[in-house]
Amino acid sequence: MKTLLIFAALSLPFLSHGSEPYRLEGDFTYQNLELLQTRDVEVVPQQQIERVEELRQDKYTCERAMNFYRCVKFIKNDQIPDRMKSSLLRQWNGVKLRFTRGPGNVILTNDAPSLTEWDIPDTVRKGSQQVPKYHYYLLKDEIHKIKVPFQNEEEWFLVRDERNISGFALTATETGKFRFREFVILINLAK
């Protein structure tokens, strides 16, 4: 659920037009990595309220979550660390996502004011994994997303248009005790 919420929040810059799903077809291959966001995060036990106040003074946004605070500050950073880049390139370089149109029609599963959803009865293949359908989401703000239920793991993609989609990675490096830097990276694929 946390991944879905993060993905929805990060989707805002990628507005598409149209109130119908794109029926993806063909091979989408890895193009490049794109750093979308970098943020410093510190986890603070709830008893250390003075540290929370210090971080707020330093322009962190702190939210209480159970027995701790999660304090976040967005930072300007236009570089993906080499180690992360290498790891993502090993995972995605040469990857092909193949969408093959099935014989069935798109099935509307939800038509709420803020979200429309469909099941798309098309085959999606990634390497040796293949599924017979995927789920399509269209948010009120014209944000198009899909969820592909591969056996190993569900994968989410932003649908920019019928020729461009983007996966994402949320990775982090530890910068101290209870401190880390998070990187939100788009993995762009195109036909």
Side-chain angles (χ1 to χ4, degrees):
M1 183 65 177
K2 179 181 173 189
T3 301
L4 177 61
L5 293 174
I6 291 170
F7 198 67
L10 298 174
S11 301
L12 293 177
F14 303 101
L15 301 180
S16 299
H17 299 290
S19 58
E20 295 294 322
Y22 290 111
R23 192 95 184 245
L24 302 173
E25 198 168 4
D27 294 342
F28 290 77
T29 56
Y30 168 80
Q31 298 297 305
N32 62 5
L33 299 174
E34 179 182 343
L35 181 60
L36 185 61
Q37 201 176 80
T38 305
R39 54 191 176 229
D40 282 338
V41 179
E42 185 169 335
V43 178
V44 182
Q46 69 179 2
Q47 301 86 349
Q48 296 181 7
I49 196 70
E50 65 284 344
R51 178 62 182 149
V52 172
E53 290 307 317
E54 288 173 10
L55 290 168
R56 285 182 174 149
Q57 291 294 319
D58 195 22
K59 300 194 184 339
Y60 279 75
T61 300
C62 298
E63 293 183 11
R64 188 171 177 183
M66 299 177 73
N67 296 327
F68 61 90
Y69 286 88
R70 185 176 192 274
C71 299
V72 177
K73 180 179 180 179
F74 293 92
I75 61 170
K76 293 183 181 191
N77 184 354
D78 62 352
Q79 297 293 317
I80 301 170
D82 289 339
R83 190 175 70 234
M84 283 180 195
K85 187 181 245 181
S86 295
S87 175
L88 288 169
L89 287 174
R90 277 193 303 277
Q91 289 177 307
W92 286 96
N93 200 13
V95 165
K96 178 172 33 178
L97 224 56
R98 175 172 285 161
F99 291 82
T100 305
R101 190 172 288 229
N105 292 324
V106 173
I107 302 163
L108 181 67
T109 59
N110 179 32
D111 193 11
S114 61
L115 174 67
T116 307
E117 300 176 61
W118 297 268
D119 279 335
I120 311 285
D122 295 344
T123 302
V124 184
R125 177 185 278 286
K126 178 183 173 193
S128 63
Q129 297 186 76
Q130 181 173 306
V131 294
K133 69 177 182 177
Y134 61 96
H135 200 71
Y136 200 106
Y137 299 83
L138 175 57
L139 282 69
K140 174 179 79 167
D141 297 326
E142 302 298 324
I143 299 167
H144 294 248
K145 302 184 303 182
I146 61 172
K147 176 177 68 174
V148 183
F150 289 121
Q151 186 175 3
N152 294 347
E153 181 179 4
E154 290 179 342
E155 292 194 35
W156 289 87
F157 296 91
L158 288 171
V159 180
R160 296 180 182 211
D161 57 40
E162 61 276 347
R163 300 188 61 79
N164 297 281
I165 62 175
S166 298
F168 85 102
L170 174 62
T171 58
T173 58
E174 192 172 326
T175 58
K177 188 175 182 179
F178 304 117
R179 298 184 71 165
F180 50 97
R181 181 163 285 174
E182 288 181 341
F183 298 85
V184 180
I185 302 166
L186 290 178
I187 301 120
N188 297 318
L189 297 100
K191 273 173 74 168

